[in-house]
Each structure stands twice: as C-alpha cells, then as structure tokens.
Amino acid sequence: MSTLDTLPVVVIGVGPVGLAAAAHLHERGLPFLVLEAGDAVGAAVRQWGHVRIFSPWRYDIDPAARRLLDDAGWVAPDLDALPTGTELATDYLQPLAELPQLKPHLRYDARVEAISRLGLDRLRTAGRDTTPFLIRLADGQEVLARAVIDASGTWGTPNVLGASGLPARGETDAAAYLDHALPDVLGTDRDRFAGRHTLVVGAGHSAANTLLSLAELAVGQPGTEVTWAIRTTSPARTYGGGDADALPARGALGSRLRAHVDAGRIRLLTGFSVHALTPADGRVTVVVRHGDGSEEMVTVDRIVAATGFRPDHTIAAELRLDLDPVMGATRALAPLIDPNEHSCGTVPPHGVDELTHPEVGYYAVGMKSYGRAPTFLMATGYEQVRSVVAALAGDWTAARDVQLDLPETGVCNSNPDDSATGDSCCGPAPVGRGLATGTTGGLLTAPLNLVTLDAAPADPQAGCCGS
C-alpha cells in the first residue's frame, strides 16, 4: 500500500453534490473528509431557501445517499412534491449529514484557501502523481489528501453587471445598493424593497421570479416601483411560450410576467448594457451605453443583478488544470455543455473521463465543473461523483458506465404558478418540449422561435441556474 492510499479523499463543499460524493465514498469504503466553508450543511442552499425547485423530490436525491437514509429509517418526502431550498436542506441534506457514516467526516467553518502538492509547485513534474495533495485552510491548518473532489460551487462568485464581462465603472462603490440573484423580496429582505424603486438586470428565470415578487410587493406597498432591464432587444426568451408551452408552470410564469409588463406595472428596458454606476443622495444612477454609442440614465434605490455565476479557480492556482478558454470547464466537457448548443436536457452523459485534468486526482464537480455554462442539473452532479468515486476505487468499468437519462427538453427551469417567489435551480426538468433558444433558437438572437410539443427544438434552452 502506498502512502497515498492511507490518506483520505477530500471533498470541498457540504452541499447536495458534495454530500453525494461522501455517500459514494462511504459505499466504496474509501476514507474521506468533507470541508465546508459555512457553519452548517447546505449553507449556500439555505441562502436561497425561499426558492422553490422546479423538479420534484424524486430527481433531487442521490441514489447512494438514499440508500444510506433508507437504512437509517428515513421517512422520504412526497416524491412528487416540489421542495424549496430550505426543505431540501432540512428534510434531505441535514438528515444525511447527521448519519453516523458521514457526520464524523464533515468539518464546518473550514474554508479552503489553496490546493497544491506537498513540497511541489506547479512547475515540478517528477514524482507529482505519487505526491499527496496539500490543502491549506484559511485558518492556517493544512490537510493532506490522496485526491480532491471540488464541489464548492459558484454561488459565491456571481457575474458582474458590466455588459463586457468586466465590472461596470463604479460597481464596487455601489455595492451597498446591489443584491445578487434571488433576494427574498417577500420575506426577510422585504424592507429593502418596500416603497422603493428596484432595477432588476437579467433575462433568466431568477430575474423573472424576482420581478414577480416585486410586482406582488408593489400591490400592498405604495411607492414600490419595478424596472426590468435586459441586454437583448426582446424579452421573448423570458416570457416563454405562454399557454402553448409544453411545461404549463413555466408558461404561466412567463405569462404572468408579460401581463405585468403589458399593464405597465413593470417597466421594461431593452438593449440595456450597464456602463457605470454612480451612488448619490441615497440612490444610485445607472448609465446605460447602447450599441450606437449613445447613453441614457436611470436612477433607482436598489439593483438586483440576476446575471448568473462564474467559477473561481483561484484555490487551484498551483495545480495543472486544462480549462476551456470559453467555458472555464475542462476542455473535454466544454463542448458538451456549451449553452449556445445545449440545454440541461441535451447534455450528453459524462463522467470521470470528461472531468479529468492533467493534475491526476483533482476533479471539479457539480456547478463548478460547468464553468460559465448555466445548464447544470443536480442529477448530472450526482452521476459525476458516482463516476469519479468509482474511478478512485479502481472500478473503471463502473466509472465509464455513465447512466444519465435527462429529458430532452427546451426548458431547464420552471416554477409552480402559485409561487411568485419560486425559481428553477439546479434540478432536472420534467419531460416535455419547450422553446428553442440556442444559437439558432434565440439565445444569441431575438425574437424567439416557438416549437410544438411534437417537434424537437433546433437548439434547446440554456439556463438552469443562471440568467
């Protein structure tokens, strides 16, 4: 037995995918340690706890985790019900984390600051593959590992407001006026929005649900104003297919949003590229630059930046990563998840081979593995870690037998009609056809092309967990 074999596999993140990795490692009899930056299981999930996941429970539970829970007498929720983020954390993740097979191996308030090889920087090659990983925590402690499964996600690194992928001028100075995706408008964050003018930037379902919540708030709170800004020239992709949509809940979401816009309760601004933010007198002025070089300004009290997320690979700076220059995913995975070509449901099955970097033993999984592609599904993450853990156990037959049956739908996110604060986040979509949105379907162009239930979309919709 080598020195590496005596060390644990370190998992970063105690979210749905990180805990799934722990469950699979336990089943394989591999020593493991899970490090979580937050103070509780599912810390990031709890931050969008008011959001209702669009997929039912049956798709949100990892099979290995379910086996452990069932053995412990867990009472499963109604598998056809749609959980909120809070319910996902309290009814599934928390009981899983409390199991004696996993609990002793979980460490909270353990933020990873950097990952390297013990005694080797990125330049050193000799002996690299047999040298333990060195994981340095923010408090200075160091942990050695035989392999690293990074399931830390992207929640902490939202995209900027600036239209060129760079922060708008003054964006940092205006931070006090900014909220990122999915504020709890009708709950804990109500006071920040009631009686104020809010600008929501983004064309995804996170933006749509925030807009619906703000519109509902405005009914009972005089002085509450709502402005919606998108970069494209048409909101058709966000509206969806209405009554013609194969997923009625998503169609209802778009129809409700459109009704508010048509009635003037939500002001819509198109071709909106944020150039600069200037705080003054308790408000913030947003300077918009159009394609023809002209500018205009809008002054508001709050801004919700529903512009998606991006990965942060800083902690792996001393590792040898092979990242696609566009997606920020591995080069093998990038073309399979490109949102210009794929929706959540059309991403091909993939596992350890597509997730492998030149740094042997390091794997980014879950949302982080997708880089900037917003097409990730929890079910995909569960199959990723099953494959990776099988490979770490030496079972390459199982590792490469990737079984992922995703619905080939043009819709990756939806929301129950009766939940204004719900949102689609990281769950598999029901079977059905939706709206074509890829390069030819409207992701990069407008207006949107409708498709019928019986006709496959030319390029299905991207956007599961981002805008």
Side-chain angles (χ1 to χ4, degrees):
M1 179 180 293
S2 69
T3 302
L4 281 182
D5 293 333
T6 65
L7 295 174
V9 175
V10 167
V11 180
I12 304 174
V14 186
V17 177
L19 278 179
H24 284 277
L25 287 163
H26 169 75
E27 281 198 337
R28 290 282 182 174
L30 298 176
F32 64 93
L33 172 66
V34 188
L35 304 174
E36 166 59 42
D39 61 1
V41 60
V45 172
R46 294 175 194 272
Q47 292 187 50
W48 48 266
H50 59 287
V51 173
R52 187 167 298 281
I53 298 172
F54 71 88
S55 59
W57 272 109
R58 68 177 67 256
Y59 298 116
D60 304 328
I61 301 170
D62 172 73
R66 177 67 191 267
R67 289 189 287 270
L68 285 175
L69 287 166
D70 286 346
D71 288 345
W74 179 60
V75 178
D78 179 358
L79 295 182
D80 293 321
L82 306 177
T84 63
T86 295
E87 291 166 346
L88 180 70
T90 59
D91 298 345
Y92 168 55
L93 298 180
Q94 191 68 49
L96 182 60
E98 291 296 325
L99 293 177
Q101 298 95 324
L102 303 187
K103 185 175 181 178
H105 307 282
L106 310 182
R107 287 179 57 181
Y108 300 100
D109 295 313
R111 180 176 297 278
V112 174
E113 187 175 77
I115 310 169
S116 187
R117 292 280 189 175
L118 182 62
L120 304 178
D121 62 19
R122 196 167 68 185
L123 293 178
R124 289 284 300 276
T125 297
R128 189 172 193 87
D129 294 352
T130 58
T131 299
F133 285 95
L134 172 67
I135 301 167
R136 180 171 294 170
L137 305 183
D139 63 5
Q141 294 186 62
E142 294 182 341
V143 176
L144 298 182
R146 61 167 289 195
V148 177
I149 299 176
D150 184 352
S152 57
T154 60
W155 179 256
T157 50
N159 284 327
V160 297
L161 273 174
S164 300
L166 303 175
R169 292 183 181 179
E171 187 167 335
T172 300
D173 295 335
Y177 302 88
L178 295 178
D179 290 272
H180 292 291
L182 305 176
D184 190 1
V185 172
L186 297 175
T188 57
D189 300 325
R190 185 186 187 96
D191 290 345
R192 291 214 300 273
F193 300 97
R196 300 186 179 186
H197 184 183
T198 299
L199 171 68
V200 179
V201 181
H205 286 73
S206 294
N209 280 280
T210 297
L211 288 162
L212 290 175
S213 295
L214 287 166
E216 182 176 336
L217 179 64
V219 172
Q221 292 289 337
T224 302
E225 298 180 57
V226 189
T227 298
W228 175 29
I230 59 176
R231 295 175 185 173
T232 61
T233 58
S234 169
R237 181 167 67 93
T238 309
Y239 289 158
D243 293 340
D245 200 308
L247 294 179
R250 192 192 76 142
L253 178 71
S255 296
R256 291 164 58 203
L257 178 58
R258 183 170 193 161
H260 284 301
V261 173
D262 290 345
R265 291 183 289 270
I266 295 175
R267 178 192 178 197
L268 173 62
L269 303 175
T270 61
F272 191 97
S273 295
V274 179
H275 176 61
L277 305 176
T278 305
D281 301 323
R283 307 189 82 198
V284 58
T285 297
V286 183
V287 178
V288 180
R289 178 170 290 176
H290 299 292
D292 61 4
S294 63
E295 295 183 352
E296 64 176 300
M297 296 184 296
V298 57
T299 299
V300 297
D301 300 297
R302 304 291 309 171
I303 301 173
V304 176
T307 51
F309 300 87
R310 61 180 64 184
D312 183 358
H313 296 290
T314 304
I315 62 173
E318 282 304 313
L319 300 182
R320 297 178 174 184
L321 305 187
D322 185 23
L323 297 172
D324 178 80
V326 178
M327 292 293 110
T330 60
R331 288 180 189 267
L333 180 59
L336 307 182
I337 60 174
D338 186 344
N340 298 313
E341 302 294 337
H342 291 284
S343 75
C344 307
T346 66
V347 170
H350 60 274
V352 65
D353 288 334
E354 290 79 13
L355 298 170
T356 295
H357 286 281
E359 193 70 64
V360 176
Y362 171 82
Y363 304 95
V365 298
M367 189 68 186
K368 190 169 187 177
S369 73
Y370 270 43
R372 294 200 188 189
T375 48
F376 173 74
L377 299 171
M378 268 195 292
T380 306
Y382 295 157
E383 183 63 4
Q384 285 180 344
V385 296
R386 185 208 61 78
S387 175
V388 167
V389 171
L392 292 175
D395 187 353
W396 285 96
T397 300
R400 288 172 171 147
D401 183 22
V402 182
Q403 301 291 329
L404 188 62
D405 185 16
L406 297 176
E408 204 173 301
T409 172
V411 180
C412 291
N413 37 25
S414 186
N415 182 70
D417 190 21
D418 60 356
S419 176
T421 57
D423 193 74
S424 49
C425 193
C426 309
V431 175
R433 298 295 184 190
L435 299 173
T437 57
T439 305
T440 61
L443 181 62
L444 301 180
T445 60
L448 196 65
N449 297 322
L450 295 180
V451 297
T452 66
L453 180 63
D454 297 326
D459 284 288
Q461 174 172 342
C464 282
C465 299
S467 61

